[in-house]
Amino acid sequence: MVSKKGAQQSATEDAERSEQGTEQDVEQGAEEGIEGIEIEGVVEGLQEDSQTQMKEEAWLEGEGEIALVGGGVIGAGWAARFVLNGCNVVLYDPSCEAWQRCQRVILQAERALSQLTTAPLPPRGRFRVVEHIEEALGNAVWVQESVPERESLKQRVLGQLAMLLPKETPIASSTSGLLPSRLQARLRCPERFFVAHPFHPVYLLPLVELVGGEQTSKALLVRAKKFYERLGMKGLIVRKEIDAFVADRLLESVWREALWLVKDGVATTEEIDDAIRYGFGLRWAQMGIFETYRVAGGDGGFRHFLAQFAPSLLLPWSRLVDVPQWSDALQNRIVAQSDAQARGLSTEELERIRDANLAGIINALKGEEWGAGALLLDYERKLSERAIARATKGEGAKRKGKEQQQPKEKDEAKKDEAEKNKTEKNKTENFLQEGEVCLLRERVSEMWLDENGHMTESRYLQVFSQATNLLLGSTGFDEACLARGFGFYTLETNLRHLHEAKRGEGLVVATRVIDCAKKKLHLLHRMFSLSDSRPRAEVATAEHVLLHVSRTLARGVAMEKAVFERCQRLCSKQKLVPQPDFLRLSLQRTKP
């Protein structure tokens, strides 16, 4: 909201190795009931039950649990997506490696999200792994199945889930191409089953294809679309049920043609990847295929493009139906070329590079409010609204900084959690002064560190800027105010660095309104450490003088009455408190 000086997560032993190598991305078409109907019309025509919406929003604040069945590549990605959006997650996977795998992916996701956005993420949800499938379902409000891509296995696991769960609990399958009608055919209450097919890495790529079977409720697909979108995802309801859905059918075509090019010696694996990443892959990332070709048609648009290039469809330019005969020789050629292409980089190193690149591409699109970038902007707005709601309800101190560990018994885990929350609250209350509010808690991410292992200078400003936005949000300055053309510009900042903030350290910001005039605000933020080794150590302070402006008139104007009165109330709470002697700014001295 504040512009800086310039107008800014088996049922059977067959599930023993959940989809560790399964990563091929495919999706399905929508249920028969949606066929031939405009999707937007379906969305607008179905009324979402308000109580259901409130329940699902509560899940994002840690109520209930999201049950994951299968913790391989995709299941671990779901765990990260849910946990980092504030949902409590319970995983059933018979593999002894599931816990470690998910922990590693959650850390990867946390690193990637710190590169993707500076919006205030909610307190982490809890994550636990159980030994029996029944334990995973006791408090489940939503179930995401991600066992290996074998139809018979999925049918058995889904059948057991349907028998154990209450009839209203939704069951989503992460299948990359199996037909939902076949998966739900023998299920109890089949109307609550659908496909929610994500893309790897699940915690970073936003698309989730939503596919209903013949018996799936239409309303459930709409509900699922809205639920996943609250997690920062793009829910795409597929109109027709079809093997491999939409995206994987496209990927399969490119993959088959690439295999022919390698087999025939036309190109190596690296050369094929170069053709994609230096050429059309960049265009596809921001416009897809049809809009790219529309632009290629020039002023004549798509009609001109078709007139020019449609005849080439009759030329023998592809071999999409045929598949090269698979052999050890072809396999060895591909593996050898791929090994050479990796140049000694480990999978973990390649994952880091991939995540950083994806975050950068999405952020670039954000600047134009386009595609995945526009989706990110909307997600950031929702994150800020949730942070403000938590703060104004006094919920900001919940669950942040909890260590993720395997809980012992359920009651004991709840007791441990209550003790941690009490400790965190006491830490906060011990340093809050009269008139101060605690709106923001953060944890120093690995991506925030300099070469000395300390939080870099720009991240201090980032945290203080988030605290400012939350303070303004608590006064009622919201998206509606922005839409009316109002905003706050930072006129002056005074930042003091008192101690280093280190990797993984919990931070809390206490904020007060020092002074308030009709057009200007003087804020003071104090940042404290929540580390057990130095509790309540003051890490940094920041003063900001803000000017309320009309962006239409390009000048300072008086705040709207409701916002101004709330700022005054916050200011009056600390008028009798001695002002810190380190203050350097004032409304009187700072000129617009």
Side-chain angles (χ1 to χ4, degrees):
M1 294 179 187
V2 181
S3 287
K4 296 299 177 187
K5 195 68 177 176
Q8 353 264 113
Q9 223 272 170
S10 128
T12 167
E13 287 185 332
D14 288 328
E16 59 209 86
R17 295 293 179 267
S18 259
E19 39 124 57
Q20 293 181 30
T22 302
E23 188 180 313
Q24 183 181 9
D25 291 316
V26 178
E27 227 236 74
Q28 269 190 38
E31 58 182 28
E32 185 177 355
I34 285 181
E35 177 181 351
I37 302 176
E38 288 294 329
I39 294 299
E40 291 303 319
V42 173
V43 174
E44 293 171 1
L46 289 171
Q47 288 282 352
E48 181 178 33
D49 182 81
S50 60
Q51 289 186 338
T52 297
Q53 183 174 352
M54 290 175 62
K55 285 180 181 178
E56 293 175 4
E57 288 173 349
W59 302 347
L60 301 179
E61 300 303 324
E63 295 186 18
E65 288 183 313
I66 307 297
L68 304 182
V69 180
V73 172
I74 297 301
W78 275 122
R81 171 74 73 168
F82 285 121
V83 165
L84 296 181
N85 275 280
C87 300
N88 293 330
V89 173
V90 54
L91 168 69
Y92 168 70
D93 189 304
S95 169
C96 60
E97 300 174 354
W99 169 259
Q100 290 85 353
R101 184 189 308 118
C102 288
Q103 288 297 325
R104 179 179 65 82
V105 173
I106 289 172
L107 290 175
Q108 284 180 339
E110 193 168 44
R111 184 190 307 115
L113 285 179
S114 72
Q115 297 171 310
L116 181 67
T117 181
T118 60
L121 292 172
R124 266 194 188 191
R126 294 189 307 275
F127 175 70
R128 63 191 183 101
V129 177
V130 295
E131 295 182 358
H132 305 286
I133 196 169
E134 294 83 1
E135 298 176 73
L137 307 180
N139 197 30
V141 291
W142 191 277
V143 178
Q144 190 79 40
E145 170 271 312
S146 304
V147 303
E149 197 76 348
R150 299 198 299 274
E151 185 174 290
S152 59
L153 170 62
K154 284 187 178 287
Q155 287 173 334
R156 288 198 298 273
V157 173
L158 291 169
Q160 186 170 3
L161 293 174
M163 292 302 297
L164 292 169
L165 287 163
K167 63 180 182 180
E168 69 275 6
T169 305
I171 304 174
S173 173
S174 301
T175 178
S176 59
L178 300 177
L179 293 175
S181 289
R182 292 176 62 88
L183 294 177
Q184 72 182 174
R186 299 180 181 179
L187 294 187
R188 171 177 168 264
C189 305
E191 67 280 355
R192 42 86 175 266
F193 171 82
F194 65 101
V195 166
H197 170 228
F199 292 79
H200 181 62
V202 181
Y203 53 79
L204 201 49
L205 291 182
L207 181 62
V208 55
E209 294 178 302
L210 305 174
V211 193
E214 295 174 355
Q215 302 179 77
T216 304
S217 161
K218 297 189 190 74
L220 177 59
L221 289 179
V222 176
R223 175 185 170 192
K225 175 181 169 71
K226 294 184 178 181
F227 172 63
Y228 288 114
E229 287 178 351
R230 294 187 189 109
L231 303 171
M233 305 186 80
K234 171 66 175 179
L236 177 64
I237 298 179
V238 179
R239 295 167 180 265
K240 281 188 177 183
E241 185 180 12
I242 186 173
D243 297 285
F245 320 134
V246 174
D248 273 357
R249 294 183 75 89
L250 297 171
L251 286 174
E252 182 72 12
S253 298
V254 176
W255 170 237
R256 290 182 183 217
E257 195 65 38
L259 290 176
W260 275 114
L261 292 171
V262 173
K263 180 183 184 298
D264 292 344
V266 175
T268 66
T269 59
E270 183 170 12
E271 290 163 351
I272 292 170
D273 284 350
D274 283 348
I276 296 172
R277 60 192 176 195
Y278 292 113
F280 62 84
L282 291 172
R283 298 186 307 195
W284 284 6
Q286 49 92 32
M287 278 191 174
I289 187 168
F290 282 100
E291 199 155 37
T292 292
Y293 286 166
R294 177 184 180 84
V295 173
D299 292 339
F302 214 96
R303 188 176 299 278
H304 177 71
F305 174 85
L306 290 173
Q308 189 172 6
F309 294 102
S312 67
L313 295 174
L314 301 176
L315 299 176
W317 282 8
S318 68
R319 302 171 70 172
L320 293 181
V321 178
D322 297 330
V323 180
Q325 183 174 357
W326 200 249
S327 65
D328 290 343
L330 178 56
Q331 176 174 297
N332 292 338
R333 180 186 301 179
I334 293 173
V335 170
Q337 291 180 2
S338 180
D339 288 346
Q341 180 181 348
R343 293 176 176 81
L345 292 174
S346 68
T347 299
E348 185 174 352
E349 289 171 321
L350 289 171
E351 287 173 339
R352 285 195 183 195
I353 294 169
R354 174 204 64 197
D355 287 359
N357 291 340
L358 288 172
I361 291 169
I362 295 173
N363 266 301
L365 295 171
K366 187 173 75 170
E368 292 295 326
E369 299 187 24
W370 194 265
L375 185 71
L376 176 59
L377 276 174
D378 184 61
Y379 177 52
E380 290 177 331
R381 177 184 60 80
K382 292 173 181 175
L383 287 174
S384 295
E385 290 174 351
R386 287 169 58 192
I388 291 167
R390 286 193 303 273
T392 54
K393 291 178 183 178
E395 297 294 327
K398 282 188 178 181
R399 290 186 282 111
K400 193 66 177 180
K402 288 178 183 171
E403 295 299 325
Q404 291 189 337
Q405 60 182 7
Q406 283 278 30
K408 305 135 192 177
E409 294 292 315
K410 196 171 183 179
D411 293 341
E412 191 173 346
K414 288 184 177 179
K415 182 179 178 181
D416 291 344
E417 180 189 353
E419 287 299 318
K420 287 181 182 179
N421 283 338
K422 184 178 179 180
T423 301
E424 292 278 290
K425 183 177 179 181
N426 289 340
K427 284 182 181 179
T428 303
E429 291 176 344
N430 284 338
F431 61 72
L432 277 180
Q433 296 180 356
E434 187 69 29
E436 286 185 323
V437 290
C438 173
L439 298 176
L440 180 65
R441 288 170 177 265
E442 267 293 359
R443 185 166 297 278
V444 180
S445 163
E446 181 180 342
M447 300 305 299
W448 293 10
L449 305 178
D450 59 20
E451 63 275 8
N452 300 310
H454 304 145
M455 188 163 80
T456 192
E457 183 176 346
S458 64
R459 297 297 183 172
Y460 286 88
L461 281 171
Q462 172 187 317
V463 173
F464 286 133
S465 177
Q466 289 178 2
T468 296
N469 285 339
L470 292 173
L471 187 283
L472 293 176
S474 72
T475 68
F477 187 84
D478 54 15
E479 293 290 329
C481 295
L482 291 172
R484 289 194 291 272
F486 298 115
F488 279 93
Y489 291 177
T490 301
L491 295 178
E492 200 169 356
T493 294
N494 178 35
L495 181 62
R496 299 190 311 146
H497 297 276
L498 306 177
H499 292 93
E500 300 92 350
K502 302 176 182 179
R503 176 189 285 108
E505 189 166 14
L507 302 174
V508 64
V509 177
T511 301
R512 71 171 79 174
V513 179
I514 296 293
D515 202 358
C516 173
K518 289 186 176 181
K519 297 183 183 180
K520 292 192 285 188
L521 282 177
H522 182 189
L523 306 182
L524 172 64
H525 302 296
R526 298 192 302 145
M527 182 187 296
F528 292 87
S529 168
L530 292 178
S531 169
D532 291 334
S533 61
R534 50 172 190 166
R536 300 187 301 280
E538 196 167 8
V539 175
T541 67
E543 290 178 81
H544 300 300
V545 173
L546 309 179
L547 175 67
H548 184 263
V549 300
S550 164
R551 299 196 304 276
T552 304
L553 300 175
R555 62 180 175 84
V557 296
M559 290 177 246
E560 293 180 299
K561 182 179 179 183
V563 173
F564 179 60
E565 289 177 349
R566 289 169 184 152
C567 289
Q568 282 187 312
R569 286 198 292 271
L570 288 170
C571 183
S572 66
K573 290 181 179 180
Q574 53 84 50
K575 281 295 186 182
L576 300 178
V577 181
Q579 299 297 326
D581 56 11
F582 58 79
L583 294 181
R584 294 291 180 266
L585 309 182
S586 74
L587 297 189
Q588 290 70 34
R589 290 200 305 269
T590 302
K591 303 285 185 185

